Every structure is written in C-alpha cells, then in structure tokens.
Amino acid sequence: MASTQDSNSAATMKKSKGKVNSTAEKEFVFEFRAGKHNCVLKVPLQFPVQENISDLHGRLMLLHKIPCYIENDLKTYLSNFIERETILDYDREAELSLQRLTTGDGDVNQLTNAWTRSYVETTLEHARPEEPCWDEDFADVYHELIHSPASDTLLNLEHNYFVSISELISERDMEIKKLQERQATEMDKVMHELGNTLSDQDVNAVASQHFDTQQVLENKWASELKQVTGIQKHEYQEWVISLHQDLQKSNSSQITEEIKVQPSQLLELEDSGARMFEEQPQLEESFTIHLGAQLKTMHNLRLVRADVLDFCKHRRHGSGGAKLRRLQTALSLYSSSLCGLVLLVDNRVNSYSGIKREFATVAKECTDFHFPFLEAQLDEVQQVLLYARAQRSSKQKEQPEIPRNGGDDKNKNVERNPSNILPGEFYISRHSNLSEVHVVFHLCVDDNVRSGNITARDPAIMGLRNILKVCCTHDITTVTVPLLLVHDMSEEMTIPWCLKRAELVFKCVKGFMMEMASWDGGISRTVQFLVPKSISEEMFYQLSNMLPQIFRVSSTLTLTSKH
C-alpha cells in the first residue's frame, strides 16, 4: 500500500491563512507496515504550517486511506516533524537576523524600540493600573451609607428632591392646562366665525399656531426639568461622597444632621396628605410552594390586583409603609436580591405613546441618582438593536436560506424597520428612582395576546421564559408578571377567556420555574402575578383558587398535645 502526494490534498495544504515573511516546502515522510507490505506516505508541507495539526492529520487519514491502527503513530510523528522543522526555521531566521545586525544592515534603535514595546505590552508588571470608575466608587459608598445610621438622611434628601421635582411638574401641568384652555376658547371663536369672516385656511393657520406654541412651551419645560434633574444628580452624588469622607474622618453622628427634614415636619406632611392620597384597598393572596422532583426548592407566589405603575410610583405625601418600601428598595439596590417588573409594550423602542409614555412620566417624577436617565438608556438600546440586526443580516447572507414556517413575515418586518423589535423580544432598563422596582423588562407583544387561542409556544410566553432566565443569571429574586398578558381589560376578555389565559400562564411559569433549578442551582424566589385593577373581586378569587390546583402549595400542620 504505497502512497504518494495527492494533488488535491497538496493544493489544500499549501493554503496559507496568514502573512509570513518566508515560506518553504518540506516533504513529510512516514513509513509504516500494513500486513506484509511496507508503505511510505510522502506529503509536501508548506512552512510555517498555518493550519491545525489535528485537521491535517484527519485529512491525511481520510485521503490516503491510512489504517486505523496507524492513527496515533501518524499523529505523533507528524506533530514532532512540524515542531522540529518549525524550530529549525526559527533558528535559521534568528541567525540571519543576527548576521544582518552585525554587518550593520539592521537599525538597532528600531529593533530596541520594537522589543521594548512588545515586552511592556505582554508582561503584567508593566500593565497600567486600572483607573478608578466613578460609578463603581459611588455605588460602593452609597451601599455603605444606606446600611448605616445615615440611611435616614439619604432618604430624606431624596424625598426633598422628589418634592421639588413634583412641584415643578405641577407648575408645568398647570401652565400647559391654562394654555390649552385658552387655545380651546380661541378655537371656539374661530369656528364660530367660520364661513362668515374666516375661511378654512384661517382655521388651519390658527391650529398650526396653537400647535407650535404648545410645542415651544413643552420643550421649555422639558429643558428646565432636564437641567434641574442634572443639577440634583450632581449635587446628590457630591454630597454622598463628601458625607462618606466626613464620617470616616470624624466618625460623628452629628454630620447626619447636615441635610435632614425634621421628623415633626415629615409627620405633618404625611398626616395632611394621608386623606388626599389614601390608597385604594389592594387585593392580594400569598402562597408558599415547593417545586422539584428530588431536591425541592421553596418559592413565594403572590396574586395581586393593582395597576402596573403602582409598583413604580412614589407618593408625595406618602404613608409610613411607602417610606419603608423606599428604604427596602434602596437597601437592595446593590445586592443580590433585585426586583424586576415585566411591562408589556409595542415594537417601537421609545416612550412616546401608551403605557410607555405613562411609565416615562413616572420615571421623570424622581431623579435617578445612580443610572442614566430613561431616554439615554433607550438610545443605547436602539444602537445595540441596530448593531444586532446588522450582524444577524450579514450572517443570514453568508448562510444558505432555510425555509421556516412564519419566518418570512418576521424577516420582512425587520427589513422594513430594523429599529423595531419582534414579539417576544425585550429590552431592559435600570432604575433607582422607582418605588419597588430596580429592573424593568419591556416585553414586546402584539394584538395576538388579546385573542383566546395563544399556545405555550407563543412569542409572549417564550419571552417570559427568557425573562425568568435573565432573572436567574442576574440576581433578580422578585419579578412581577402580568398574569393575563395584558394591562387593561376589554370587552372580549370574558370570564372563560381569563380563566383559560391564567391557566396557560400558570402552567408555563411553573415549568419555567422548574427549569430554574438547572439555571441557578435552586434559589428561592418570589413571583408576583399581576392582574388588571379593573378586574372584579369574583374573578380575582377564582384565579386565587386556581393557583393552588396548578402549583404544589405547602400544607400547614396543626400540632395538638395529648391530655
């Protein structure tokens, strides 16, 4: 079984993946015995060898039909041959370089600079120390202060800033309302004169003037709010750093009185506003469940009837419970027990309409002292989305087209507007200025969620699975999920529709939670199922009775003593 070089394999082996200074062809010779025959394998190799030795060995075995019992010997001999010849080539090039240097053909200064640069860039002792990051330093300082007696001072200062922003927003709303009323009166007069002394063009001109005036006013207030929140954020961060430094130097509790609202004043505010801002009774049911076949994990489930933005809003005249919630949110801001909320949005990454606009309004009511403002985060999401779409389209062009059911419509939607997201996809925003939430998952859904025929493979359901997976990998231990996959009730959402949708989401979330054990090792979590505020009490308690039938609820034991 004699073998010589194969033209195809030789041509393949001569391909070079990188640029080299000099190449040389050397013949690899391997002798072996196959039965009674003495065989010789001869293959020309191009040095330096740019390809993987294992791949080269595999092609030699396949193309030349080498017996399998020779495989290990061939690989060892081939590796040794390549290593030996490569070292000889390097030694030869080194000798030539030294000869050029001694004869004066080389530039000593250039070589010295090249060697110095290479040594400095590849050795750790010469690496530049990492520059301190302001965000990380501020996070460490804040985390230390919020877990100290100075926490009350921090919360009072944040509350003062919140009140000032709320007053500014109230002034803005009042001025815009007065402008709209004045414009409405003026438009009524114009419409009354339509056909007499004024024409349609005059009406359009007045309407255009009203629109421009309102836009100027809104832009003016938006600019002022942005400037005030920027100043507040800078002052707050500087004050926190200064307070931390002063506490380290003096270790005195008197410093915490620098900026602090008197307790009597806070109580007066709370009492005066308690009646005006009295919260509507909130329906909720809590359950403790165990999931898992052998290693069981305990989780907490809550069924809550509330508005989705109630988890985000701060109250200007809050009760003691509101202050405790704010303290709890601040304490866990830089911890492994974050709180998340699923917000159902459309496919546009902005805050111009619907629930997105309402959420953006709530987010602007209180300055975020730790993370970028919502608009900046959305701009970053847009950039990442466009980059991801470009990468995906380039990969699809390189790969052969594979027909998929339903994939054509999605591709057409992406091609039509690559800045939009698809149903089931979501983006994340981070917040420190919301009442009970640190992370918001903006889950894209379409009108299909309002139909009654969605399945467990629906994009919205799969989006919930991916959100729970992110929660497991990023220390989000409490997540609020819209049980019916809607935030508002409509006429087609009958009692059978609600029961069917709730059963589907309950079962799917249960399966996803059982997967969590493989994602995070079985950490106890809290999942809050949120139903719209307009749902009836009867419907709420029907859903409450359904939950224990799907999840394994822990049973209580009553211990009695024998007399």
Side-chain angles (χ1 to χ4, degrees), residues 275-478:
R275 296 180 181 178
M276 184 182 303
F277 293 90
E278 184 177 358
E279 296 183 4
Q280 180 181 354
Q282 181 173 284
L283 288 178
E284 62 178 63
E285 290 281 349
S286 299
F287 305 88
T288 302
I289 64 170
H290 289 87
L291 293 178
Q294 297 179 350
L295 181 61
K296 298 186 182 300
T297 304
M298 185 180 71
H299 301 279
N300 298 316
L301 302 181
R302 294 180 65 204
L303 181 64
V304 184
R305 187 187 72 171
D307 187 87
V308 64
L309 296 181
D310 289 345
F311 295 91
C312 307
K313 294 179 180 178
H314 289 292
R315 298 197 178 277
R316 182 175 174 183
H317 304 282
S319 60
K323 188 175 181 180
L324 290 177
R325 286 195 297 270
R326 187 164 192 161
L327 175 61
Q328 179 61 35
T329 304
L331 289 173
S332 57
L333 179 60
Y334 295 104
S335 71
S336 57
S337 302
L338 301 175
C339 298
L341 172 71
V342 179
L343 190 69
L344 304 177
V345 299
D346 56 29
N347 62 347
R348 295 182 296 274
V349 184
N350 55 40
S351 57
Y352 298 146
S353 62
I355 190 69
K356 298 183 297 183
R357 183 182 180 90
E358 297 176 14
F359 173 74
T361 301
V362 173
K364 292 178 182 177
E365 291 178 352
C366 187
T367 304
D368 196 320
F369 302 108
H370 302 264
F371 304 111
F373 297 138
L374 180 61
E375 291 81 0
Q377 295 191 47
L378 294 182
D379 291 340
E380 185 177 357
V381 170
Q382 280 279 16
Q383 297 300 321
V384 173
L385 177 62
L386 291 174
Y387 177 77
R389 292 283 188 250
Q391 293 293 320
R392 183 179 300 177
S393 61
S394 63
K395 290 182 179 179
Q396 289 178 349
K397 291 179 181 178
E398 295 176 359
Q399 297 175 354
E401 295 184 1
I402 301 176
R404 296 179 180 177
N405 294 332
D408 294 338
D409 295 338
K410 292 183 178 180
N411 293 333
K412 290 180 180 178
N413 291 333
V414 171
E415 292 176 359
R416 188 178 300 116
N417 194 342
S419 63
N420 290 348
I421 61 177
L422 300 175
E425 296 179 338
F426 61 91
Y427 53 95
I428 300 173
S429 60
R430 302 170 298 162
H431 307 273
S432 66
N433 58 337
L434 302 182
S435 177
E436 304 176 49
V437 177
H438 303 109
V439 179
V440 176
F441 299 94
H442 304 257
L443 176 61
C444 175
V445 295
D446 53 13
D447 293 336
N448 191 41
V449 295
R450 295 186 173 273
S451 65
N453 56 355
I454 69 170
T455 64
R457 303 299 300 177
D458 188 83
I461 298 294
M462 299 311 298
L464 288 180
R465 178 185 180 274
N466 294 330
I467 288 175
L468 290 178
K469 190 170 184 178
V470 171
C471 292
C472 291
T473 56
H474 292 79
D475 297 328
I476 302 174
T477 56
T478 300

Side-chain angles (χ1 to χ4, degrees), residues 76-145:
T76 302
Y77 196 84
L78 178 63
S79 301
N80 294 336
F81 174 78
I82 293 177
E83 181 179 3
R84 182 176 65 253
E85 295 298 329
T86 301
I87 292 175
L88 290 175
D89 287 343
Y90 285 154
D91 291 341
R92 190 179 302 109
E93 291 183 5
E95 290 292 338
L96 292 175
S97 299
L98 290 175
Q99 289 179 7
R100 287 195 299 269
L101 187 62
T102 54
T103 56
D105 296 337
D107 188 351
V108 178
N109 294 329
Q110 184 179 0
L111 289 175
T112 305
N113 293 335
W115 275 99
T116 303
R117 184 172 60 254
S118 299
Y119 181 78
V120 169
E121 292 177 353
T122 54
T123 53
L124 182 61
E125 60 180 336
H126 291 282
R128 293 183 179 179
E130 294 185 2
E131 297 182 359
C133 178
W134 166 261
D135 293 337
E136 294 180 1
D137 292 343
F138 177 75
D140 294 337
V141 170
Y142 179 85
H143 186 72
E144 182 177 345
L145 288 180

Side-chain angles (χ1 to χ4, degrees), residues 489-505:
M489 301 296 293
S490 56
E491 294 181 356
E492 69 270 10
M493 300 174 188
T494 60
I495 292 180
W497 186 96
C498 294
L499 294 176
K500 182 180 178 181
R501 175 62 57 84
E503 182 180 8
L504 173 65
V505 175

Side-chain angles (χ1 to χ4, degrees), residues 283 285 287 303 483-484 494-500 502-503 506 531 535-550:
L283 288 178
E285 290 281 349
F287 305 88
L303 181 64
L483 177 61
L484 304 180
T494 60
I495 292 180
W497 186 96
C498 294
L499 294 176
K500 182 180 178 181
E503 182 180 8
F506 276 147
V531 294
I535 203 170
S536 64
E537 290 191 22
E538 179 184 0
M539 186 71 251
F540 177 84
Y541 288 114
Q542 288 189 39
L543 299 176
S544 176
N545 294 330
M546 178 190 296
L547 192 148
Q549 300 174 6
I550 297 176

Side-chain angles (χ1 to χ4, degrees), residues 118-229:
S118 299
Y119 181 78
V120 169
E121 292 177 353
T122 54
T123 53
L124 182 61
E125 60 180 336
H126 291 282
R128 293 183 179 179
E130 294 185 2
E131 297 182 359
C133 178
W134 166 261
D135 293 337
E136 294 180 1
D137 292 343
F138 177 75
D140 294 337
V141 170
Y142 179 85
H143 186 72
E144 182 177 345
L145 288 180
I146 201 65
H147 288 81
S148 70
S151 60
D152 194 48
T153 307
L154 293 177
L155 293 180
N156 288 334
L157 179 59
E158 292 178 7
H159 181 75
N160 290 341
Y161 281 141
F162 166 64
V163 171
S164 64
I165 291 293
S166 298
E167 292 175 351
L168 197 62
I169 291 177
S170 298
E171 294 179 12
R172 179 201 64 184
D173 294 342
M174 183 62 66
E175 188 170 349
I176 292 177
K177 182 179 179 181
K178 289 181 179 179
L179 175 64
Q180 290 175 345
E181 291 176 351
R182 187 169 64 253
Q183 290 179 346
T185 303
E186 184 177 350
M187 182 58 70
D188 290 339
K189 294 180 180 179
V190 171
M191 294 300 295
H192 183 71
E193 296 295 330
L194 179 63
N196 298 327
T197 58
L198 299 177
S199 62
D200 292 338
Q201 294 180 352
D202 297 327
V203 174
N204 293 335
V206 172
S208 177
Q209 182 182 2
H210 287 177
F211 178 78
D212 293 339
T213 305
Q214 187 169 344
Q215 285 294 314
V216 170
L217 183 61
E218 291 180 353
N219 292 336
K220 169 206 165 188
W221 278 105
S223 177
E224 185 171 351
L225 279 172
K226 185 177 181 179
Q227 182 179 4
V228 171
T229 52

